[in-house]
Amino acid sequence: SKPGAAMENKSVVRGMVYGGFASCVAETITMPVDVVKTRLQMDGASSVKMYSGSVDCAMKLTSKEGVGALFKGLPPALVRQSTYGSMRYGFYTPIRDLLGVDPTKPKSEIPLWKKIVAGAGSGAIASALANPTDLVKVRMQTDGMTKGPDGEFLPKKYSGMVDCFTKTVSEEGVLSLWKGVGPTVGRATALAAAELATYDEAKMQLKKNGVFTQDGLPLHVTTATIAGYVSTVASSPFDVVKSRVMGQPLDAAGKGTLYSGMVDCFVKVIAKEGPMSLYNGFWANFGRVVPRVTIVFIVMENLKIAFG
């Protein structure tokens, strides 16, 4: 396969294996940023702001809970990447071909809207199926951030991934694993559409206008930075709402005490904390997306060169 065709795969299964593996490598490396991002997004939900920014959050976490706290939620995140990551990359080409794209035609002739629809479709399907792993990840990352009625922090609720999974099912029922599926799918659709379409488009434009002459690391990093910024702008509001809906404290009946759902959360956050709070943790989010996209594409390109 020609270099640069990171989304192109000889078979769907191969695409899924490569995508899942590459996503897991990237996830492990960028996990500390993800923990900081989720905490910053939750910050302010229970009226008291705990952190002044990304660095402050990382410092407070490590001093209070040790360096291990920065890798909280890694097991469910890896399960999520093996499912969501692999499906998202694996479904892209078949969905795109379903839209009537001729796989033999050069990529530059594929209309942009088809790339966007394929990206959004694969992102939406994959994230809806993988929602339980995402819920467990957010709950583990925000564990210990909830305050009780007396204003004191509640003790940690979960000892690990399996414990969090079983407690959620036994206390709230199986369907509760799909809590926050609305903003999750919204976020994945916005993210995948923006990231995939921008990545392809930016790469083509940079080469066409002679900014870069050949495929290589500089081109990848530049393209990933552009794609990462655009997709963070598009998906950040959904991401904040997703973290809040999934991480909120629950009453005795297992109902969220702060938000009834996605729309309610959007309205309340804007009314109470202003519209810009939907971009809480923006730089942590952006700082995670760029290395993640770069690592995923580099690992996938190299897997293809090595194994075809």
Side-chain angles (χ1 to χ4, degrees):
S1 91
K2 56 185 187 305
M7 303 305 290
E8 298 294 324
N9 285 295
K10 281 183 193 157
S11 73
V12 177
V13 174
R14 200 168 267 199
M16 287 176 78
V17 173
Y18 290 176
F21 180 75
S23 300
C24 286
V25 174
E27 188 73 25
T28 308
I29 297 170
T30 58
M31 197 66 203
V33 193
D34 192 40
V35 174
V36 168
K37 177 205 78 158
T38 307
R39 292 219 154 207
L40 287 172
Q41 289 174 340
M42 276 303 286
D43 203 18
S46 53
S47 69
V48 190
K49 266 196 131 27
M50 287 156 65
Y51 311 115
S52 65
S54 304
V55 181
D56 180 52
C57 176
M59 301 290 281
K60 280 186 182 155
L61 251 182
T62 42
S63 67
K64 200 177 129 197
E65 302 176 34
V67 180
L70 290 173
F71 288 91
K72 253 206 197 125
L74 186 60
L78 291 180
V79 175
R80 175 173 174 267
Q81 286 304 346
S82 324
T83 50
Y84 166 70
S86 62
M87 288 189 290
R88 185 179 147 205
Y89 289 103
F91 291 166
Y92 176 73
T93 314
I95 292 178
R96 200 194 59 196
D97 295 348
L98 274 178
L99 294 170
V101 171
D102 179 1
T104 55
K105 264 168 60 175
K107 276 181 89 170
S108 52
E109 286 178 29
I110 300 169
L112 185 62
W113 73 266
K114 287 192 176 174
K115 291 178 190 168
I116 294 177
V117 172
S122 61
I125 296 166
S127 67
L129 292 171
N131 196 76
T133 55
D134 212 14
L135 179 88
V136 170
K137 184 186 80 159
V138 170
R139 291 201 167 177
M140 284 174 69
Q141 287 176 341
T142 55
D143 200 15
M145 270 185 88
T146 314
K147 290 186 171 171
D150 54 358
E152 286 300 302
F153 285 109
L154 296 172
K156 287 210 176 328
K157 194 174 167 183
Y158 310 115
S159 64
M161 172 169 77
V162 180
D163 180 52
C164 178
F165 186 80
T166 46
K167 270 186 188 153
T168 303
V169 173
S170 66
E171 287 170 19
E172 305 161 51
V174 174
L175 283 178
S176 68
L177 292 170
W178 274 271
K179 260 199 188 123
V181 70
T184 300
V185 170
R187 168 182 170 270
T189 310
L191 189 78
E195 187 183 288
L196 297 170
T198 320
Y199 191 89
D200 266 0
E201 195 63 24
K203 196 166 172 186
M204 209 170 72
Q205 295 295 345
L206 287 167
K207 281 170 87 171
K208 207 163 86 180
N209 298 314
V211 184
F212 292 99
T213 44
Q214 82 264 20
D215 266 315
L217 198 56
L219 174 63
H220 276 301
V221 175
T222 312
T223 314
T225 308
I226 299 167
Y229 188 79
V230 175
S231 57
T232 309
V233 172
S235 67
S236 193
F238 289 108
D239 206 22
V240 172
V241 169
K242 173 178 84 80
S243 291
R244 295 251 175 136
V245 171
M246 287 180 171
Q248 64 179 328
L250 305 166
D251 62 17
K255 281 256 177 292
T257 53
L258 296 171
Y259 315 107
S260 65
M262 174 164 90
V263 180
D264 182 51
C265 182
F266 265 119
V267 174
K268 281 187 181 152
V269 170
I270 292 171
K272 206 177 117 190
E273 303 166 49
M276 283 320 287
S277 61
L278 289 172
Y279 284 92
N280 273 4
F282 178 84
W283 292 110
N285 210 346
F286 174 60
R288 185 181 81 101
V289 168
V290 177
R292 195 182 63 80
V293 175
T294 314
I295 296 162
V296 166
F297 280 101
I298 291 167
V299 174
M300 278 178 73
E301 301 268 327
N302 285 309
L303 282 171
K304 279 204 192 113
I305 294 162
F307 304 108

